[in-house]
Amino acid sequence: MATHVEQVMGLPVSLDLRDEGDFTGAVADAFRWLREVDARFSPFRSGSEVCRYDRGETTELSADLDEVLGLCAYYEDLSGGAFSARLPGRGLDPCAVVKGWAVQRAADRLHAAGARRFCLNAGGDVVTAGEPEPGRPWRVGIRHPEQPEAVCAVVASRDGAVATSAAYERGTHVLDGRTGLPATGLLSVTVVAEDLTHADALATAAFALGADGIAWAAEQPGCDVLIVDAQRRVHRSPGLALACPECPQCTR
Amino acid sequence: MNKTIFVVALSIAGFVAVWRFDPTPATSSTTATSAPQVSTAPSTSAGSGAVTTQGSAESTEFGTVQVQVSFSGSRITDVTLVQQPDSGRGVDAIPLLREEALQAQSADIDTVSGATQTSESYIKSLQAALDAKGS
């Protein structure tokens, strides 16, 4: 059992690990990886791999950067250009893919070290593994888009990931790659998927798509969505595993 | 319990009235992105203390409206739209009711998913409280 909170990649990252035994080394390794990602992939650090590649100072791609650029291209294509790592007039910014990918990799490292019951939360994007207590899933509250102290739903998750994209924390920072303008059509988009790379990229892309993102996200295979639109209507996939807030064991 | 259901039923009737009263014209009807099922008769299903009540499907000029309310004991645990019209002045009301229903119970969770948090907002957040509590 261990809990750990650390500021990495500009985010509070917290880990709640329920496995018996000593996972000190595995936890340190997972956080070391996240700090490494910050140093290598931040578009805000002029010496990062991403910035050097963008300036043409290096032509040899590392396997990791190659993978990240491949993911950027994949989601840009999938979203018809709404999701883009290269907006006009700006440098290469793969942040929208890097966070989910890096945190999923950190979770994979914990899993490879033998951890089976944990919850890793990176600034609101969550990877869960196993069960916190035998017989019940992790209960992931989805923050209410307008009330910081409230949740608007509770999702049940075992091995999986939950990502939310919205404008309430950092203003209208998500731009629609099709127009270059801030995305304002939705209040929040939550995507539940098998891994955080997919969940985070889909949530960001759907948010960038605005109102078009509701149907788009609902059609993507391998995910479930909970979307609050600008009129405060809640749209959710029929398959979304919601937990009843009243009964700890319950997943309806 | 029965009293609560009665009050909720009255609220539902109120919402339907709001829809009916909407003066703006609407061209489309039905479709519900969130509709898990469609049934036309009022029904109630019970099991292990949890009760789900489905209101009757009400036809309005803007489409069909039907809500489902879940109870655990006498407390509302969820309110969902089984069928809803595409537009109309009343559509905000039910998601808001649903959110209110969950607000007071937010402590019974392990973690919170939300938009990317800065460290300043983290300190004030529900997630920080959960982390501080430990496991």
Side-chain angles (χ1 to χ4, degrees):
Chain A
M1 307 259 282
T3 55
H4 187 97
V5 187
E6 192 174 314
Q7 184 84 10
V8 210
M9 303 190 294
L11 309 165
V13 180
S14 64
L15 173 69
D16 177 352
L17 188 145
R18 305 286 179 103
D19 289 287
E20 300 297 330
D22 183 6
F23 284 88
T24 314
V27 172
D29 173 66
F31 280 86
R32 193 183 310 122
W33 159 253
L34 292 175
R35 288 191 296 270
E36 180 193 325
V37 167
D38 194 16
R40 289 172 58 193
F41 294 90
S42 172
F44 311 109
R45 296 172 191 268
S46 64
S48 73
E49 213 172 304
V50 162
C51 289
R52 284 186 288 120
Y53 174 76
D54 197 30
R55 291 194 300 264
E57 290 170 21
T58 173
T59 47
E60 215 165 289
L61 284 176
S62 68
D64 288 337
L65 184 53
D66 188 44
E67 187 180 340
V68 163
L69 294 178
L71 286 166
C72 289
Y74 174 77
Y75 288 105
E76 180 163 353
D77 186 48
L78 191 67
S79 65
F83 177 98
S84 179
R86 280 198 182 277
L87 289 161
R90 291 173 169 232
L92 176 64
D93 181 356
C95 283
V97 155
V98 166
K99 187 177 58 155
W101 168 82
V103 175
Q104 181 62 52
R105 281 283 200 89
D108 292 345
R109 285 180 175 225
L110 290 168
H111 197 267
R116 294 291 179 271
R117 298 162 57 210
F118 61 86
C119 174
L120 181 60
N121 186 330
D125 288 335
V126 177
V127 180
T128 61
E131 299 174 331
E133 289 150 24
R136 83 159 176 99
W138 291 95
R139 300 159 62 83
V140 184
I142 308 303
R143 208 197 92 159
H144 190 297
E146 294 177 316
Q147 299 170 39
E149 297 300 311
V151 297
C152 62
V154 183
V155 169
S157 180
R158 288 184 166 84
D159 293 304
V162 185
T164 298
S165 186
Y168 53 71
E169 276 285 341
R170 299 190 295 176
T172 48
H173 69 290
V174 177
L175 301 180
D176 182 344
R178 299 171 300 179
T179 61
L181 298 171
T184 55
L186 302 172
L187 291 185
S188 78
V189 177
T190 296
V191 175
V192 178
E194 204 168 281
D195 74 276
L196 190 60
T197 310
H198 195 48
D200 192 28
L202 287 182
T204 307
F207 191 80
L209 280 162
D212 299 342
I214 300 171
W216 179 84
E219 283 166 13
Q220 299 305 318
C223 77
D224 287 304
V225 301
L226 188 140
I227 297 173
V228 184
D229 70 19
Q231 287 75 44
R232 300 188 186 81
R233 287 180 297 197
V234 180
H235 305 257
R236 72 182 195 214
S237 310
L240 189 70
L242 288 173
C244 160
E246 281 291 296
C247 13
Q249 309 299 320
C250 168
T251 50
R252 289 169 300 167
Chain B
M1 174 74 192
N2 287 335
K3 192 179 170 188
T4 314
I5 292 177
F6 180 68
V7 168
V8 169
L10 275 181
S11 310
I12 292 164
F15 288 127
V16 170
V18 169
W19 259 300
R20 285 201 167 133
F21 200 70
D22 197 315
T24 47
T27 47
S28 58
S29 61
T30 57
T31 75
T33 327
S34 57
Q37 60 185 32
V38 174
S39 93
T40 49
S43 63
T44 299
S45 60
S48 65
V51 178
T52 299
T53 304
Q54 207 161 78
S56 57
E58 297 288 338
S59 290
T60 74
E61 57 191 296
F62 310 108
T64 307
V65 180
Q66 187 177 20
V67 299
Q68 179 173 299
V69 184
S70 301
F71 298 88
S72 180
S74 60
R75 300 187 69 189
I76 298 171
T77 54
D78 199 8
V79 181
T80 52
L81 279 175
V82 179
Q83 296 185 65
Q84 67 182 96
D86 269 356
S87 58
R89 204 173 60 185
V91 285
D92 286 358
I94 287 176
L96 287 174
L97 174 63
R98 174 188 154 71
E99 288 157 1
E100 275 175 27
L102 294 178
Q103 187 165 9
Q105 299 155 3
S106 55
D108 196 12
I109 54 178
D110 296 303
T111 195
V112 184
S113 175
T116 300
Q117 255 178 359
T118 59
S119 46
E120 297 78 50
S121 66
Y122 168 78
I123 293 163
K124 299 174 195 158
S125 74
L126 194 53
Q127 183 61 46
L130 291 167
D131 290 336
K133 190 181 72 182
S135 53

Short mmCIF file of all heavy atoms in Angstrom, two decimals, chain A residues 5 29 37 40 120 151 166 179 182 217 238:
data_model
loop_
_atom_site.label_atom_id
_atom_site.label_comp_id
_atom_site.label_asym_id
_atom_site.label_seq_id
_atom_site.Cartn_x
_atom_site.Cartn_y
_atom_site.Cartn_z
N VAL A 5 2.06 11.73 -4.12
CA VAL A 5 1.63 12.86 -4.93
C VAL A 5 2.85 13.68 -5.28
O VAL A 5 3.68 13.96 -4.43
CB VAL A 5 0.61 13.78 -4.19
CG1 VAL A 5 0.05 14.83 -5.15
CG2 VAL A 5 -0.52 12.97 -3.60
N ASP A 29 10.40 4.60 -10.11
CA ASP A 29 10.67 4.43 -11.54
C ASP A 29 9.58 5.07 -12.39
O ASP A 29 9.87 5.73 -13.40
CB ASP A 29 10.78 2.92 -11.85
CG ASP A 29 10.89 2.66 -13.34
OD1 ASP A 29 11.92 3.06 -13.92
OD2 ASP A 29 9.95 2.09 -13.92
N VAL A 37 9.92 12.37 -19.47
CA VAL A 37 9.04 12.79 -20.56
C VAL A 37 8.95 14.32 -20.60
O VAL A 37 9.00 14.94 -21.66
CB VAL A 37 7.62 12.18 -20.39
CG1 VAL A 37 6.62 12.85 -21.32
CG2 VAL A 37 7.66 10.68 -20.65
N ARG A 40 12.04 15.70 -22.17
CA ARG A 40 12.25 15.38 -23.58
C ARG A 40 11.16 15.90 -24.52
O ARG A 40 11.41 16.21 -25.67
CB ARG A 40 12.34 13.86 -23.76
CG ARG A 40 13.62 13.25 -23.20
CD ARG A 40 13.57 11.74 -23.23
NE ARG A 40 13.35 11.22 -24.59
CZ ARG A 40 13.01 9.96 -24.83
NH1 ARG A 40 12.84 9.09 -23.85
NH2 ARG A 40 12.84 9.56 -26.08
N LEU A 120 -3.80 5.75 -10.88
CA LEU A 120 -2.84 6.81 -11.17
C LEU A 120 -3.62 7.96 -11.79
O LEU A 120 -4.28 7.79 -12.81
CB LEU A 120 -1.78 6.28 -12.14
CG LEU A 120 -0.65 7.20 -12.56
CD1 LEU A 120 0.18 7.66 -11.37
CD2 LEU A 120 0.25 6.48 -13.58
N VAL A 151 -19.46 16.40 -8.32
CA VAL A 151 -19.28 15.50 -9.45
C VAL A 151 -20.63 15.33 -10.14
O VAL A 151 -21.67 15.44 -9.50
CB VAL A 151 -18.72 14.11 -9.03
CG1 VAL A 151 -17.34 14.26 -8.43
CG2 VAL A 151 -19.65 13.40 -8.07
N ALA A 166 -11.99 19.71 -20.99
CA ALA A 166 -12.94 20.81 -20.79
C ALA A 166 -12.17 22.11 -20.73
O ALA A 166 -10.94 22.11 -20.69
CB ALA A 166 -13.73 20.60 -19.50
N THR A 179 -10.14 25.36 -37.64
CA THR A 179 -10.35 26.81 -37.76
C THR A 179 -9.26 27.61 -37.05
O THR A 179 -9.10 28.80 -37.31
CB THR A 179 -11.70 27.20 -37.12
OG1 THR A 179 -11.65 26.83 -35.72
CG2 THR A 179 -12.86 26.48 -37.78
N PRO A 182 -10.64 28.84 -30.58
CA PRO A 182 -10.93 28.04 -29.39
C PRO A 182 -12.22 27.23 -29.55
O PRO A 182 -13.19 27.71 -30.15
CB PRO A 182 -11.11 29.10 -28.29
CG PRO A 182 -10.40 30.30 -28.79
CD PRO A 182 -10.53 30.28 -30.28
N ALA A 217 -17.50 11.12 -31.18
CA ALA A 217 -16.94 10.32 -30.09
C ALA A 217 -17.76 9.06 -29.84
O ALA A 217 -17.22 7.98 -29.60
CB ALA A 217 -16.85 11.15 -28.82
N PRO A 238 -24.68 4.20 -24.07
CA PRO A 238 -25.46 3.21 -23.32
C PRO A 238 -24.57 2.24 -22.55
O PRO A 238 -24.95 1.74 -21.50
CB PRO A 238 -26.25 2.47 -24.40
CG PRO A 238 -26.19 3.33 -25.61
CD PRO A 238 -24.97 4.18 -25.51
#
